Amino acid sequence: MMKRFILVIIMMISTLGIYSFTNNALDAKKTSYASYYHDKFNGRKTASGEIFSNSKFTAANRTLPFGTNIKVTNLNNGKQVIVKINDRGPFHASRALDISKAAFDEIGDINHGTIPVEYEIVD
């Protein structure tokens, strides 16, 4: 009887631990690198079906849901911008975000192809 009770307690703790981990995983700040879209993508459809424009504040990410707003912070200078996820990518292992040229220019220098960033979901 005591073994069964301990087993139930362990299962409850494990379940609560997994539940709390999955809830906080989406809210956590993440660090990676960001690049920007080339002008050749202007006017093309994104994975969400929207027409891409380098003048809007949008971004691509492999896993975040379309329509998610994220705050992107340049780790070199502290500048921030809010972008909306409307595409999939980037397809380069070292980067988590492709952001529009307007958003990239807001927080960094477009003469550099990538910048180290921290990003988090905002409501």
Side-chain angles (χ1 to χ4, degrees):
M1 182 69 175
M2 186 63 154
K3 287 182 183 179
R4 214 180 263 175
F5 177 72
I6 292 173
L7 183 60
V8 168
I9 295 297
I10 291 171
M11 289 174 51
M12 288 174 54
I13 291 171
S14 298
T15 304
L16 291 173
I18 291 170
Y19 175 76
S20 65
F21 176 74
T22 55
N23 277 351
N24 292 332
L26 287 177
D27 297 335
K29 291 181 181 180
K30 296 178 177 78
T31 56
S32 185
Y33 284 87
S35 57
Y36 65 91
Y37 280 86
H38 190 277
D39 288 331
K40 72 180 182 181
F41 294 104
N42 276 322
R44 294 187 185 179
K45 276 191 175 180
T46 63
S48 69
E50 292 181 29
I51 302 299
F52 176 74
S53 171
N54 246 335
S55 63
K56 295 182 179 176
F57 285 28
T58 59
N61 181 268
R62 290 183 289 274
T63 58
L64 291 172
F66 295 137
T68 302
N69 288 316
I70 60 171
K71 179 171 59 173
V72 181
T73 305
N74 181 336
L75 293 176
N76 290 333
N77 60 21
K79 292 183 179 179
Q80 300 177 334
V81 67
I82 294 178
V83 295
K84 182 179 81 169
I85 301 296
N86 73 340
D87 203 4
R88 290 292 171 234
F91 301 106
H92 191 280
S94 70
R95 295 190 296 266
L97 297 171
D98 272 337
I99 61 178
S100 64
K101 191 180 267 188
F104 194 96
D105 193 38
E106 189 81 12
I107 62 172
D109 180 3
I110 59 172
N111 293 318
H112 296 99
T114 61
I115 52 174
V117 295
E118 176 181 82
Y119 63 99
E120 64 182 312
I121 296 172
V122 294
D123 291 326

